Amino acid sequence: ALKRLLAAVPVLTDVCPAGDVIAGLGERVMLHAGPPIEWQRMCGPLQSAVIGAAVFEGWAAGPEEAANMAADGAIALHPNHDFGAVGPMTGITSASMPVFVVENRAYGNRAFCTINEGIGKVLRFGANDSEVIERLRWISVTLAPALRMAVEHAGGVPLGPLMSRALTMGDEMH
């Protein structure tokens, strides 16, 4: 395992909507951080993030409708890891959310991660008001396409050198 880890060649290859690259992530399917858990057992911030993501996706007109959908099982909830994805804190991934696509050029496997929303009120901490939804839309409509063009123009971004530098600066890379 250590040899395979050390031989990895991670490269950022794309930035695109999660539904375009994560098989099985479609209408009313949502991924979350952590192990499998049913709606009723989710902590408050995770439930709030699911609600916000459902509103962001347009599946619900507002928080109450989204909560009812989740409670009734109208939204399929699965762990990110079952789909080759990761996410910070609540780790919500839905089809319209842009993700970084990282390919391991040594072995051909790929992984996905949503774009960090910044600081303050953010979905990953369970915030889900209009400001949060608007930021998610801006990330999808404005930031992600610009990042995609930059990654495309660069022919991919090798992550090994960035990770090495970050480690020497004290970032534990979690």
Side-chain angles (χ1 to χ4, degrees):
L2 183 58
K3 285 181 185 177
R4 186 174 172 111
L5 181 67
L6 293 173
V9 181
V11 177
L12 175 61
T13 59
D14 204 354
V15 179
C16 58
D20 291 355
V21 290
I22 301 177
L25 184 60
E27 183 70 19
R28 304 228 173 131
V29 176
M30 200 176 295
L31 310 181
H32 61 80
I37 187 169
E38 53 280 348
W39 171 257
Q40 292 75 11
R41 295 191 61 226
M42 287 181 174
C43 66
L46 183 52
Q47 285 186 345
S48 292
V50 168
I51 290 167
V55 172
F56 167 72
E57 287 293 338
W59 304 340
E64 186 175 332
E65 182 182 356
N68 290 336
M69 290 174 66
D72 292 342
I75 299 171
L77 302 165
H78 301 284
N80 272 306
H81 289 171
D82 289 353
F83 291 74
V86 297
M89 307 307 285
T90 64
I92 298 299
T93 305
S94 61
S96 298
M97 291 179 182
V99 292
F100 291 116
V101 179
V102 176
E103 181 181 322
N104 180 352
R105 295 254 167 104
Y107 299 102
N109 54 311
R110 296 189 317 164
F112 315 96
C113 182
T114 54
I115 296 173
N116 186 312
E117 304 161 71
I119 59 173
K121 294 190 303 184
V122 291
L123 193 68
R124 71 177 180 276
F125 291 144
N128 63 17
D129 66 13
S130 60
E131 180 182 338
V132 172
I133 302 306
E134 194 53 43
R135 182 182 301 123
L136 290 171
R137 288 191 179 114
W138 177 83
I139 289 170
S140 295
V141 173
T142 305
L143 180 61
L147 290 172
R148 184 178 209 181
M149 288 187 334
V151 169
E152 206 172 86
H153 179 74
V157 178
L159 298 177
L162 295 174
M163 293 163 54
S164 294
R165 180 69 175 138
L167 285 167
T168 66
M169 296 174 71
D171 188 331
E172 87 287 349
M173 302 298 298
H174 90 278

Short mmCIF file of all heavy atoms in Angstrom, two decimals, residues 72-99:
data_model
loop_
_atom_site.label_atom_id
_atom_site.label_comp_id
_atom_site.label_asym_id
_atom_site.label_seq_id
_atom_site.Cartn_x
_atom_site.Cartn_y
_atom_site.Cartn_z
N ASP A 72 -38.88 11.96 3.91
CA ASP A 72 -39.74 10.99 3.23
C ASP A 72 -38.96 10.04 2.32
O ASP A 72 -39.56 9.18 1.68
CB ASP A 72 -40.81 11.71 2.39
CG ASP A 72 -41.82 12.46 3.25
OD1 ASP A 72 -41.92 12.16 4.46
OD2 ASP A 72 -42.49 13.37 2.71
N GLY A 73 -37.65 10.23 2.22
CA GLY A 73 -36.83 9.35 1.37
C GLY A 73 -36.84 9.73 -0.09
O GLY A 73 -36.40 8.95 -0.95
N ALA A 74 -37.33 10.93 -0.42
CA ALA A 74 -37.37 11.36 -1.82
C ALA A 74 -35.99 11.78 -2.32
O ALA A 74 -35.81 12.01 -3.52
CB ALA A 74 -38.36 12.52 -1.99
N ILE A 75 -35.03 11.89 -1.41
CA ILE A 75 -33.64 12.19 -1.78
C ILE A 75 -32.81 11.00 -1.33
O ILE A 75 -32.84 10.61 -0.16
CB ILE A 75 -33.14 13.47 -1.09
CG1 ILE A 75 -33.97 14.67 -1.52
CG2 ILE A 75 -31.66 13.70 -1.40
CD1 ILE A 75 -33.68 15.95 -0.74
N ALA A 76 -32.09 10.39 -2.26
CA ALA A 76 -31.21 9.26 -1.93
C ALA A 76 -29.91 9.82 -1.37
O ALA A 76 -29.27 10.67 -2.00
CB ALA A 76 -30.94 8.42 -3.17
N LEU A 77 -29.52 9.38 -0.19
CA LEU A 77 -28.33 9.88 0.49
C LEU A 77 -27.29 8.76 0.60
O LEU A 77 -27.60 7.68 1.12
CB LEU A 77 -28.72 10.39 1.88
CG LEU A 77 -29.77 11.50 1.89
CD1 LEU A 77 -30.36 11.69 3.29
CD2 LEU A 77 -29.15 12.80 1.40
N HIS A 78 -26.08 9.04 0.11
CA HIS A 78 -25.02 8.04 0.10
C HIS A 78 -23.70 8.67 0.55
O HIS A 78 -23.48 9.86 0.34
CB HIS A 78 -24.81 7.49 -1.32
CG HIS A 78 -26.02 6.86 -1.91
ND1 HIS A 78 -26.46 5.62 -1.54
CD2 HIS A 78 -26.89 7.32 -2.85
CE1 HIS A 78 -27.56 5.32 -2.24
NE2 HIS A 78 -27.83 6.34 -3.03
N PRO A 79 -22.79 7.86 1.11
CA PRO A 79 -21.48 8.39 1.48
C PRO A 79 -20.67 8.77 0.24
O PRO A 79 -20.68 8.06 -0.77
CB PRO A 79 -20.81 7.22 2.21
CG PRO A 79 -21.92 6.34 2.65
CD PRO A 79 -22.99 6.49 1.59
N ASN A 80 -19.95 9.89 0.32
CA ASN A 80 -19.05 10.31 -0.76
C ASN A 80 -18.11 9.19 -1.17
O ASN A 80 -17.88 8.95 -2.36
CB ASN A 80 -18.20 11.50 -0.30
CG ASN A 80 -18.85 12.84 -0.53
OD1 ASN A 80 -19.26 13.16 -1.62
ND2 ASN A 80 -18.96 13.62 0.53
N HIS A 81 -17.53 8.51 -0.19
CA HIS A 81 -16.49 7.52 -0.47
C HIS A 81 -16.99 6.38 -1.35
O HIS A 81 -16.20 5.78 -2.08
CB HIS A 81 -15.90 6.98 0.84
CG HIS A 81 -15.06 7.99 1.54
ND1 HIS A 81 -14.58 7.80 2.81
CD2 HIS A 81 -14.63 9.22 1.18
CE1 HIS A 81 -13.87 8.85 3.19
NE2 HIS A 81 -13.91 9.73 2.22
N ASP A 82 -18.28 6.07 -1.29
CA ASP A 82 -18.82 5.02 -2.14
C ASP A 82 -18.78 5.40 -3.62
O ASP A 82 -18.98 4.55 -4.48
CB ASP A 82 -20.27 4.69 -1.74
CG ASP A 82 -20.36 3.96 -0.41
OD1 ASP A 82 -19.31 3.58 0.16
OD2 ASP A 82 -21.50 3.77 0.08
N PHE A 83 -18.53 6.68 -3.89
CA PHE A 83 -18.53 7.19 -5.27
C PHE A 83 -17.18 7.78 -5.67
O PHE A 83 -17.10 8.51 -6.66
CB PHE A 83 -19.63 8.24 -5.44
CG PHE A 83 -21.03 7.67 -5.37
CD1 PHE A 83 -21.58 7.27 -4.16
CD2 PHE A 83 -21.78 7.51 -6.52
CE1 PHE A 83 -22.85 6.74 -4.08
CE2 PHE A 83 -23.06 6.99 -6.47
CZ PHE A 83 -23.60 6.59 -5.24
N GLY A 84 -16.15 7.52 -4.88
CA GLY A 84 -14.82 8.05 -5.21
C GLY A 84 -14.69 9.54 -4.95
O GLY A 84 -13.85 10.21 -5.54
N ALA A 85 -15.53 10.06 -4.07
CA ALA A 85 -15.52 11.50 -3.78
C ALA A 85 -15.18 11.73 -2.31
O ALA A 85 -15.28 10.83 -1.49
CB ALA A 85 -16.88 12.10 -4.11
N VAL A 86 -14.80 12.96 -2.02
CA VAL A 86 -14.56 13.40 -0.65
C VAL A 86 -15.18 14.78 -0.50
O VAL A 86 -15.44 15.46 -1.48
CB VAL A 86 -13.06 13.46 -0.28
CG1 VAL A 86 -12.42 12.09 -0.34
CG2 VAL A 86 -12.31 14.44 -1.16
N GLY A 87 -15.41 15.16 0.74
CA GLY A 87 -15.95 16.49 1.00
C GLY A 87 -15.66 16.88 2.43
O GLY A 87 -15.72 16.05 3.32
N PRO A 88 -15.38 18.15 2.66
CA PRO A 88 -15.08 18.61 4.02
C PRO A 88 -16.34 18.73 4.87
O PRO A 88 -17.43 18.98 4.37
CB PRO A 88 -14.45 19.99 3.78
CG PRO A 88 -15.11 20.47 2.53
CD PRO A 88 -15.31 19.24 1.69
N MET A 89 -16.17 18.52 6.16
CA MET A 89 -17.23 18.70 7.16
C MET A 89 -18.49 17.91 6.77
O MET A 89 -18.44 16.71 6.78
CB MET A 89 -17.52 20.17 7.38
CG MET A 89 -16.27 21.01 7.72
SD MET A 89 -15.30 20.38 9.09
CE MET A 89 -16.32 20.84 10.46
N THR A 90 -19.59 18.58 6.36
CA THR A 90 -20.79 17.83 5.98
C THR A 90 -20.57 17.12 4.64
O THR A 90 -21.23 16.14 4.37
CB THR A 90 -22.02 18.75 5.85
OG1 THR A 90 -21.81 19.67 4.80
CG2 THR A 90 -22.33 19.45 7.15
N GLY A 91 -19.66 17.63 3.83
CA GLY A 91 -19.24 16.96 2.61
C GLY A 91 -20.31 16.73 1.58
O GLY A 91 -20.27 15.73 0.85
N ILE A 92 -21.27 17.60 1.45
CA ILE A 92 -22.37 17.40 0.50
C ILE A 92 -21.89 17.57 -0.94
O ILE A 92 -21.20 18.53 -1.27
CB ILE A 92 -23.52 18.39 0.77
CG1 ILE A 92 -24.11 18.17 2.17
CG2 ILE A 92 -24.61 18.29 -0.30
CD1 ILE A 92 -24.71 16.80 2.40
N THR A 93 -22.27 16.60 -1.77
CA THR A 93 -22.01 16.66 -3.21
C THR A 93 -23.32 16.35 -3.92
O THR A 93 -23.93 15.31 -3.66
CB THR A 93 -20.94 15.63 -3.65
OG1 THR A 93 -19.76 15.80 -2.88
CG2 THR A 93 -20.61 15.78 -5.12
N SER A 94 -23.74 17.25 -4.79
CA SER A 94 -24.93 17.01 -5.62
C SER A 94 -24.55 17.25 -7.08
O SER A 94 -23.50 17.81 -7.37
CB SER A 94 -26.09 17.90 -5.18
OG SER A 94 -25.77 19.26 -5.32
N ALA A 95 -25.39 16.81 -7.97
CA ALA A 95 -25.05 16.76 -9.39
C ALA A 95 -24.60 18.08 -10.00
O ALA A 95 -23.69 18.10 -10.83
CB ALA A 95 -26.24 16.21 -10.19
N SER A 96 -25.19 19.20 -9.60
CA SER A 96 -24.84 20.49 -10.21
C SER A 96 -23.62 21.15 -9.59
O SER A 96 -23.09 22.12 -10.14
CB SER A 96 -26.02 21.46 -10.10
OG SER A 96 -27.12 20.95 -10.80
N MET A 97 -23.17 20.64 -8.46
CA MET A 97 -22.00 21.23 -7.79
C MET A 97 -20.73 20.91 -8.57
O MET A 97 -20.49 19.75 -8.91
CB MET A 97 -21.87 20.71 -6.37
CG MET A 97 -22.95 21.17 -5.46
SD MET A 97 -22.73 20.48 -3.81
CE MET A 97 -24.15 21.16 -3.00
N PRO A 98 -19.92 21.91 -8.86
CA PRO A 98 -18.67 21.62 -9.56
C PRO A 98 -17.69 20.89 -8.64
O PRO A 98 -17.65 21.14 -7.43
CB PRO A 98 -18.14 22.99 -9.96
CG PRO A 98 -18.87 23.97 -9.12
CD PRO A 98 -20.12 23.33 -8.64
N VAL A 99 -16.94 20.00 -9.23
CA VAL A 99 -15.92 19.25 -8.49
C VAL A 99 -14.58 19.35 -9.20
O VAL A 99 -14.50 19.52 -10.41
CB VAL A 99 -16.29 17.76 -8.33
CG1 VAL A 99 -17.49 17.58 -7.42
CG2 VAL A 99 -16.52 17.08 -9.67
#
